Amino acid sequence: MEARKENQEERASGNLGKIQLHKKTVLIPEMNRAAALFFAATFRGFGVEARALETYKGLDLGKEYTSGKECYPCQVTLGDILYFVQKEKERLGRAFDPGQYVYFLPESDGPCRFGLYNRFQRIVLDSFPGLDRLKISSITTRDGYSFSGILEKEKVLDFQKSGYFAVVVADIMDRLLWRIRPYEEKQGTADEFIESSLRKLEKTFEEHGPSKDFGEILDDVVQIIEEGKALIDSKIPPKPLIGIVGEIFLRTHVQSNQDIIRQLEKYGAEVVNASVAEWANYVSYDGLRSAKAQVRLNFKQMRFSPMWSKLKEMLGFGIDLYYKEHRQNQVYNRIQPVIDLIGDHKISHLEEILEENDLFSFDVATEACLSIASIISCARAGYNGMVNVYPFTCMPSTTTSAVVKPLMSELGTPYLDAPYDSGIQPGREAAIRTFMYQAEQHFRRHGRMKRTHSR
Ligand code: SF4
């Protein structure tokens, strides 16, 4: 434990870890476009120069500096930062100063390789002359993605609240797109409309994020939703409802998953992807859960000093989870009377589902526990098909696939595994088309879930 702490401190004082962003330009990798834009705008509102990185244009660079054994999101994000450096050097010439930038790359603790992306990318950046000065700043699941040590003390809490709000609103904007696009009167209008709305909301976040004026931000969101609703052609009947789960980067990053949502829509689906806020809520939930277990253990062993410290941790994670769920509900409660967007589930509900038949355990952590439970929850609620989207060889998603396949046959809900790397699989479109045929049959026989239901 002590050794790990020392390591963290060592890293923090170097060019990887909790690096202060003050007076630097922060580079935000894009996983979901809306969240990257809103997050960067929120940073700017708090006085930190920030910009979302262009994505996927540097994939060749990402592949050149990886061995092929790394997870696909690691290749994509590495490519994004290398591409940025290349372009910035071209733009600024000799004035390019790598020490002026901080690359923001969160990490996750646990059995997965996500915790190693930033270390690996550090090694790659260090191998280029001068790029050791381009620091990597990380927030980690270990402390519930706290920004302490990254921003000035007095800004930390406010930024965390505004940052989380940005993530929830980004989810809403994605859900709005998936709600409108399959029913748009004129093809292409939904995409255009959402892109221009994101740009509008960037300004809103920059202006109102620091004062946590969430009511003002929501007023703008509601106005956008009302305009977006007008693009729906009410004559188009409801379509089969397809749910997506899986590894967060792949299921969210449109370029990496070869725009699977659009592909499904092409064959007649209305799609709802798992939210990004789900992961943020899960991190707090998991922190609370582990702290509780430690409190119990220390109590049994009568180790009272560590027990108090774990109790404090438990309280911190508990408050954090309560805040997030409360804020998320508030946002959905405000927008659902305006448009019938499908809401989000509670993480505790997902754990209850797994416990019912001892299917899997939250003790294993990773996204498998979320995906397995979500698939079952959505299938029971009346989705017409479920898709598991993930990077080729992804450990948690392969586990998910193994556990849920037999269950989906029992439940009679069509299911598709969709693993991706940068290659084009010749049979992919046929698999999606066949899956959608099955989903259509399911829809005709059973109807579909009402949109007022949560995921
Ligand atoms: S979740 Fe999958 S893609 Fe992400 S680090 Fe783990 S194994 Fe890699």
Side-chain angles (χ1 to χ4, degrees):
M1 186 69 186
E2 279 309 304
R4 187 161 88 172
K5 201 169 157 214
E6 268 169 32
N7 268 341
Q8 277 172 15
E9 275 158 13
E10 202 180 294
R11 284 193 288 114
S13 63
N15 51 10
L16 167 65
K18 291 216 163 191
I19 307 282
Q20 276 282 345
L21 307 178
H22 188 55
K23 292 195 180 154
K24 302 283 181 194
T25 301
V26 183
L27 309 171
I28 316 276
E30 179 180 319
M31 179 171 76
N32 127 340
R33 180 164 169 72
L37 293 178
F38 297 167
F39 223 72
T42 308
F43 266 130
R44 290 196 296 275
F46 277 80
V48 178
E49 186 43 41
R51 58 170 108 153
L53 288 173
E54 277 189 283
T55 191
Y56 218 62
K57 293 190 174 163
L59 183 62
D60 287 344
L61 286 167
K63 290 205 276 193
E64 192 177 333
Y65 293 96
T66 46
S67 68
K69 291 179 193 158
E70 301 79 4
C71 298
Y72 184 32
C74 184
Q75 284 187 323
V76 175
T77 46
L78 177 64
D80 289 350
I81 185 66
L82 292 178
Y83 181 79
F84 168 80
V85 168
Q86 198 181 61
K87 289 289 152 194
E88 199 72 343
K89 265 184 187 167
E90 280 169 24
R91 189 174 73 88
L92 297 174
R94 291 168 72 86
F96 174 69
D97 173 12
Q100 184 47 41
Y101 305 94
V102 174
Y103 173 38
F104 182 72
L105 191 63
E107 65 172 32
S108 160
D109 203 13
C112 240
R113 291 172 270 186
F114 182 36
L116 299 176
Y117 287 12
N118 54 22
R119 287 149 183 84
F120 172 76
Q121 296 191 11
R122 183 69 270 157
I123 294 169
V124 176
L125 289 180
D126 288 349
S127 70
F128 291 94
L131 289 193
D132 54 327
R133 295 179 48 240
L134 195 163
K135 298 185 175 175
I136 302 180
S137 191
S138 269
I139 49 172
T140 171
T141 50
R142 252 173 260 139
D143 58 7
Y145 287 142
S146 164
F147 278 76
S148 129
I150 286 187
L151 293 170
E152 292 98 318
K153 223 173 172 182
E154 64 281 7
K155 291 184 181 171
V156 168
L157 209 57
D158 284 351
F159 181 82
Q160 278 177 201
K161 290 179 179 173
S162 297
Y164 178 74
F165 192 74
V167 168
V168 175
V169 173
D171 284 337
I172 297 281
M173 293 308 289
D174 279 340
R175 287 188 179 192
L176 181 64
L177 173 67
W178 308 324
R179 173 69 184 89
I180 304 172
R181 197 166 56 189
Y183 303 99
E184 63 190 354
E185 248 179 302
K186 197 169 151 238
Q187 205 185 356
T189 45
D191 284 311
E192 267 171 40
F193 170 75
I194 293 293
E195 181 59 29
S196 68
S197 304
L198 296 188
R199 292 300 176 183
K200 266 188 223 158
L201 283 176
E202 259 188 296
K203 292 197 185 76
T204 309
F205 271 100
E206 204 168 326
E207 196 183 333
H208 299 295
S211 51
K212 298 195 285 5
D213 209 340
F214 300 140
E216 289 278 347
I217 299 175
L218 273 183
D219 285 346
D220 286 2
V221 174
V222 167
Q223 199 192 332
I224 286 170
I225 289 175
E226 270 164 358
E227 286 167 27
K229 226 171 114 174
L231 303 178
I232 296 175
D233 181 351
S234 55
K235 292 189 287 306
I236 302 176
K239 301 181 174 191
L241 184 63
I242 304 301
I244 290 186
V245 297
E247 191 273 337
I248 190 165
F249 187 92
L250 249 285
R251 70 171 195 243
T252 313
H253 191 255
V254 173
Q255 294 84 348
S256 295
N257 64 39
Q258 296 166 19
D259 213 347
I260 188 168
I261 295 185
R262 197 183 296 272
Q263 283 291 310
L264 289 160
E265 287 171 358
K266 182 175 151 193
Y267 291 106
E270 178 188 335
V271 182
V272 180
N273 197 349
S275 68
V276 175
E278 177 194 73
W279 178 255
N281 295 1
Y282 166 72
V283 168
S284 305
Y285 183 86
D286 190 53
L288 173 64
R289 203 177 167 278
S290 322
K292 264 187 202 165
Q294 289 292 322
V295 168
R296 278 197 295 267
L297 184 69
N298 284 313
F299 180 72
K300 271 190 202 155
Q301 295 174 342
M302 299 212 286
R303 299 170 68 223
F304 295 112
S305 164
M307 189 186 88
W308 286 121
S309 108
K310 286 292 160 189
L311 258 176
K312 237 170 87 185
E313 214 173 89
M314 204 177 116
L315 191 68
F317 279 117
I319 292 172
D320 199 34
L321 179 65
Y322 173 79
Y323 175 81
K324 285 175 177 163
E325 290 185 342
H326 170 72
R327 182 64 70 202
Q328 192 185 28
N329 284 340
Q330 223 177 27
V331 175
Y332 279 92
N333 288 344
R334 172 87 195 270
I335 56 110
Q336 278 171 331
V338 188
I339 192 166
D340 49 2
L341 293 192
I342 289 173
D344 224 345
H345 41 216
K346 276 183 94 168
I347 305 297
S348 55
H349 171 62
L350 298 182
E351 185 168 21
E352 280 159 24
I353 290 178
L354 293 190
E355 281 171 353
E356 273 173 31
N357 296 314
D358 211 9
L359 260 182
F360 196 73
S361 171
F362 265 52
D363 290 337
V364 186
T366 79
E367 275 165 334
C369 54
L370 299 177
S371 294
I372 295 169
S374 294
I375 288 175
I376 295 168
S377 165
C378 290
R380 284 180 183 167
Y383 276 68
N384 303 110
M386 294 302 298
V387 186
N388 179 19
V389 180
Y390 55 96
F392 181 60
T393 76
C394 173
M395 183 186 67
S397 301
T398 310
T399 310
T400 300
S401 169
V403 175
V404 299
K405 263 186 189 163
L407 290 169
M408 295 310 275
S409 309
E410 263 172 47
L411 287 164
T413 307
Y415 171 81
L416 179 70
D417 272 330
Y420 287 91
D421 57 17
S422 58
I424 302 289
Q425 278 188 24
R428 172 90 62 200
E429 190 152 350
I432 290 177
R433 215 169 42 216
T434 311
F435 166 76
M436 278 312 301
Y437 174 78
Q438 294 168 341
E440 176 70 37
Q441 301 305 309
H442 185 278
F443 173 61
R444 284 190 193 168
R445 273 200 303 276
H446 305 282
R448 53 167 270 177
M449 185 189 92
K450 285 203 173 63
R451 288 200 190 85
T452 44
H453 200 294
S454 286
R455 235 177 101 83

